[in-house]
Amino acid sequence: MKNLIILACCLLLMNCKKASSEDFMVEYQKEICDKYSLFAKNKDLEGHLRLYTDDAMVNNSSIDPIR
């Protein structure tokens, strides 16, 4: 029984994956996109503007950047 527990622990440790900063950024970007879509769907301008910082710059291919 002791060997079975040790084996199970070893298997669990081998399956653990270290979370990278890239994984975090993917989740963060997904969360921001979800909020952006929700605010756009609900026409919530205040919520939409809260996603930006005071010094944000919005780039658009058809017009000059907006500060």
Side-chain angles (χ1 to χ4, degrees):
M1 183 67 173
K2 184 178 176 182
N3 290 341
L4 183 61
I5 293 172
I6 293 172
L7 179 62
C9 289
C10 289
L11 288 174
L12 289 174
L13 287 175
M14 287 190 310
N15 287 329
C16 289
K17 176 185 165 190
K18 182 180 176 186
S20 68
S21 60
E22 185 176 304
D23 294 338
F24 172 77
M25 286 305 296
V26 168
E27 282 298 315
Y28 181 72
Q29 288 172 339
K30 182 182 180 313
E31 180 181 338
I32 296 296
C33 288
D34 290 345
K35 285 182 181 180
Y36 185 90
S37 297
L38 178 67
F39 293 146
K41 181 179 175 182
N42 294 329
K43 298 179 181 172
D44 181 0
L45 180 60
E46 291 298 317
H48 186 87
L49 292 175
R50 281 194 309 265
L51 295 175
Y52 294 93
T53 63
D54 292 335
D55 60 348
M57 179 187 295
V58 179
N59 289 322
N60 191 336
S61 61
S62 59
I63 60 173
D64 291 335
I66 301 169
R67 288 187 178 266

